[in-house]
Amino acid sequence: YETFDAAPVDARFAVSVASFAELVKGAKFAGALTFDSVRAMAEEARGEDRSGYRDEFITLVRRARNADTM
């Protein structure tokens, strides 16, 4: 794919999950990632969410962001 936005929704959502993991463990590969950027990436790649797992993940990212700002 030429751009990230051109990649399939499932692939983009998977990247948001991996990015969240990098942030949580404080990995050096997190670069300029933030909880807000991960949340935005996940929301844009939510796609079909029959089970509600993607919405649950987005809620988890929001909670992590709020805990990080305390």
Side-chain angles (χ1 to χ4, degrees), residues 20-47:
F20 179 70
E22 289 295 307
L23 276 176
V24 169
K25 71 179 186 176
K28 64 180 178 180
F29 300 111
L33 287 172
T34 65
F35 289 114
D36 288 331
S37 65
V38 170
R39 180 194 44 77
M41 188 184 330
E43 286 177 346
E44 291 171 10
R46 182 181 290 140

Side-chain angles (χ1 to χ4, degrees), residues 5-28:
D5 292 333
V9 170
D10 291 342
R12 289 184 285 133
F13 193 82
V15 169
S16 73
V17 173
S19 298
F20 179 70
E22 289 295 307
L23 276 176
V24 169
K25 71 179 186 176
K28 64 180 178 180

